[in-house]
Amino acid sequence: MRIAILSSEAAPYSKTGGLGDVAGALPKALKKIGEDVCLITPFYRQTSPDLIKGVAIPQMTFKWRGEDVAARILYSDACGAPTFLVDHQSQFFRDSIYGYGEDYERFAFFSRAALVLLRSLGNPPDIVHLNDWHTGFAAAELNESRNFDHFFQKTKIIFSIHNMAYQGIFDPNELWKIGFGSEFARSSFALNGAASALKAGLIASDWLSTVSPRYAEEIQSSEYGFGLEWLVSRRKNRLLGITNGIDYEIWNPANDTLIPANYSLEDMTGKEICKKALLEKFSLPVNTDRPVIASISRLTAQKGIELIMQSVADLLSSGAYIIALGSGEKRYEDFWQSLRDYAPRQVGVFIGYNEELSHLIEAGADIFLMPSKFEPCGLNQMYSLRYGTIPVVRDVGGLHDTVEDWNPVELTGNGFKFQNYSGTAMIEKVYEAIYAWADTDSLNALRRNGMAIDNSWENSARKYCGLYQLAARG
């Protein structure tokens, strides 16, 4: 099957969050199981030139805002699959990947360029797999063009929802300027007097997917649908939840080159070495008899930082070390920094993102805290399971699907889940996790249960292949 995946970010070329991880890992996994797949993504200022193998098309010309424009198409296979990067200085060579008032235009441009590119790559794709609002423009254009365009006539559109909270809202008066002036296009984007690229993707695609089965259910409710639950619910017979995987070539304590000592389920001695190194890294007293509770997160309201703020006194009184890595809203960055200043011998904080440090934290921590308000899938809880680190999570979205609550009698389960969005509910589970960590039999069972799970991308990729085949049959 011929598959083209479009994404606004994809590791290792670009990454701001889970979308980048997923879009970079899925093509590689599909290629490994024999699919004819390519990835199309922008070339940003943040993309390392070292990843580029060459220029695929020096000058690809197409119509944009009524004029001829040109983009350069670069080629790479650094993600493990053929990748084409759209290079256009004014659209993508900026100080940050997102955050501009004209982001809608930038990704409409990317979508247009990607569809033009597909025409030059040989036979039409059987599947165009789009990701989040940034590619909703491609869904609308492709859907409409199939009525008169022989090239894409049999191409099916899959649209993956990674986060319903981000909807690509912009002024509907801009639609005709960027080539969406037809009645169908305008109605596809129309949402409460505005234009929404996410809505266009939801309505114009043949099939929808989300990044976990539970999230597929949740986004049909007013609590998690962010005003589009009616549309998702209307299309529920064309909606499938597939939990993300993790790349075991990158996230595997047995061969991870970014941690000071490797370890496996059969020999866990390296984990204590990693714990000591982690404490030293944050200039904390090296006492391995105290648990390390860790957090790696974008610092936004979605991630439940308020619950940590509510329970900070209890967290400190537990005696555990607390280590946090992340960046985002200033109020949350200030909270972590002030906590570090208040308890410098118990708290370690790194404001920003550091890939190597994230590996050390997963390997060296004992407990991983992820109290998300909502979480479409989540990856860090799966990294934690792989690294023998006990996850404490809120029972939502992909956290529900990937973490099984601990049963101390049967010695089943791999972590701890709480339901109510409150600091009290969270801290109760944190204490339970600490008690389990302190008991050798419980700790060994929790680690064994977590590390034995198959959360590989190959497993997820086969489920996507099933969706592609379903779409291809109509």
Side-chain angles (χ1 to χ4, degrees):
M1 190 170 288
R2 192 169 173 84
I3 304 154
I5 296 175
L6 277 61
S7 179
S8 63
E9 60 180 84
Y13 313 107
S14 57
K15 174 183 167 181
T16 67
L19 172 60
D21 284 315
V22 173
L26 178 57
K28 175 182 177 180
L30 289 169
K31 188 173 185 296
K32 276 189 172 182
I33 60 176
E35 299 295 342
D36 179 5
V37 60
C38 74
L39 169 68
I40 306 176
T41 192
F43 179 76
Y44 296 104
R45 170 181 283 175
Q46 293 77 12
T47 306
S48 171
D50 295 338
L51 299 174
I52 305 304
K53 291 191 72 172
V55 178
I57 304 176
Q59 185 169 301
M60 185 180 76
T61 303
F62 56 96
K63 288 289 185 184
W64 180 251
R65 286 184 170 265
E67 298 180 356
D68 287 335
V69 297
R72 187 172 63 150
I73 306 300
L74 307 177
Y75 177 79
S76 175
D77 58 4
C79 75
T83 303
F84 299 92
L85 298 98
V86 179
D87 179 17
H88 190 276
Q89 292 282 304
S90 65
Q91 299 288 5
F92 306 122
F93 209 72
R94 303 190 182 196
D95 291 338
S96 60
I97 292 175
Y98 307 121
Y100 300 94
E102 70 277 16
D103 275 355
Y104 72 92
E105 178 179 347
R106 298 171 63 224
F107 294 108
F109 179 95
F110 164 67
S111 293
R112 175 73 52 78
L115 295 182
V116 173
L117 171 63
L118 286 174
R119 293 177 175 278
S120 68
L121 296 180
N123 294 327
D126 299 297
I127 301 291
V128 171
H129 185 167
L130 308 174
N131 293 276
D132 267 353
W133 75 262
H134 320 87
T135 56
F137 302 97
E141 183 169 336
L142 189 53
N143 184 306
E144 193 167 12
S145 70
R146 288 185 302 189
N147 295 323
F148 56 84
D149 186 340
H150 179 74
F151 185 80
F152 287 120
Q153 198 169 42
K154 295 182 179 179
T155 298
K156 300 297 183 179
I157 309 166
I158 306 291
F159 187 77
S160 285
I161 308 153
H162 297 261
N163 195 326
M164 286 286 287
Y166 301 104
Q167 300 190 356
I169 301 294
F170 61 99
D171 185 343
N173 293 319
E174 295 294 309
L175 280 168
W176 70 271
K177 300 177 185 177
I178 57 176
F180 295 96
S182 73
E183 184 177 346
F184 171 79
R186 286 185 279 109
S187 65
S188 296
F189 284 90
L191 182 65
N192 301 325
S196 166
L198 178 66
K199 186 202 167 203
L202 294 175
I203 207 167
S205 301
D206 298 298
W207 279 83
L208 309 176
S209 72
T210 67
V211 290
S212 70
R214 172 55 73 91
Y215 194 58
E217 298 174 13
E218 291 176 344
I219 59 176
Q220 298 178 54
S221 70
S222 57
E223 184 177 2
Y224 299 105
F226 292 92
L228 284 169
E229 61 276 0
W230 60 273
L231 178 54
V232 178
S233 183
R234 195 175 83 186
R235 303 212 63 200
K236 64 183 179 182
N237 291 334
R238 292 271 173 161
L239 170 66
L240 189 66
I242 299 174
T243 304
N244 288 335
I246 60 175
D247 190 335
Y248 283 177
E249 291 183 12
I250 298 173
W251 293 95
N252 185 349
N255 56 26
D256 191 336
T257 60
L258 298 179
I259 59 177
N262 296 122
Y263 59 93
S264 65
L265 189 55
E266 291 72 31
D267 182 1
M268 294 291 292
T269 55
K271 188 165 178 65
E272 184 159 345
I273 296 172
C274 292
K275 182 174 181 177
K276 290 177 180 177
L278 177 62
L279 294 171
E280 290 172 354
K281 181 73 174 179
F282 283 92
S283 301
L284 295 169
V286 179
N287 181 355
T288 58
D289 292 331
R290 295 169 63 182
V292 173
I293 299 174
S295 169
I296 301 173
S297 174
R298 285 183 293 110
L299 302 182
T300 65
Q302 173 195 339
K303 297 300 182 178
I305 312 300
E306 286 93 345
L307 303 191
I308 298 175
M309 295 168 74
Q310 291 172 20
S311 308
V312 65
D314 291 317
L315 282 171
L316 291 173
S317 66
S318 73
Y321 293 113
I322 302 168
I323 290 176
L325 166 65
S327 64
E329 295 181 31
K330 187 175 185 301
R331 56 178 172 150
Y332 299 135
E333 291 184 355
D334 290 346
F335 160 72
W336 279 121
Q337 193 57 58
S338 63
L339 186 62
R340 165 67 176 82
D341 294 342
Y342 176 77
R345 292 179 60 80
Q346 191 176 355
V347 178
V349 172
F350 183 97
I351 301 299
Y353 185 76
N354 182 296
E355 185 76 14
E356 183 173 353
L357 186 55
S358 69
H359 282 248
L360 178 59
I361 291 173
E362 287 288 6
D366 298 300
I367 296 167
F368 192 89
L369 185 56
M370 204 166 173
S372 304
K373 192 170 187 178
F374 65 95
E375 193 64 61
C377 180
L379 295 173
N380 277 105
Q381 83 280 10
M382 290 190 276
Y383 298 153
S384 296
L385 292 170
R386 186 66 170 169
Y387 281 69
T389 299
I390 304 167
V392 176
V393 304
R394 185 156 177 258
D395 190 13
V396 291
L399 304 179
H400 168 88
D401 293 320
T402 54
V403 177
E404 181 185 349
D405 217 10
W406 170 243
N407 183 325
V409 177
E410 302 293 334
L411 298 183
T412 58
N414 53 36
F416 296 83
K417 298 190 286 192
F418 64 96
Q419 293 188 339
N420 293 335
Y421 188 68
S422 72
T424 301
M426 182 195 77
I427 203 67
E428 286 177 358
K429 288 296 180 180
V430 170
Y431 283 144
E432 286 184 32
I434 291 174
Y435 296 148
W437 169 83
D439 179 77
T440 301
D441 290 339
S442 296
L443 177 60
N444 289 339
L446 276 160
R447 286 176 170 172
R448 180 175 62 250
N449 297 344
M451 296 177 77
I453 294 172
D454 181 7
N455 284 320
S456 68
W457 258 113
E458 182 175 331
N459 189 26
S460 298
R462 294 191 184 280
K463 293 178 182 177
Y464 273 108
C465 283
L467 174 58
Y468 299 153
Q469 291 164 3
L470 197 62
R473 290 196 298 267

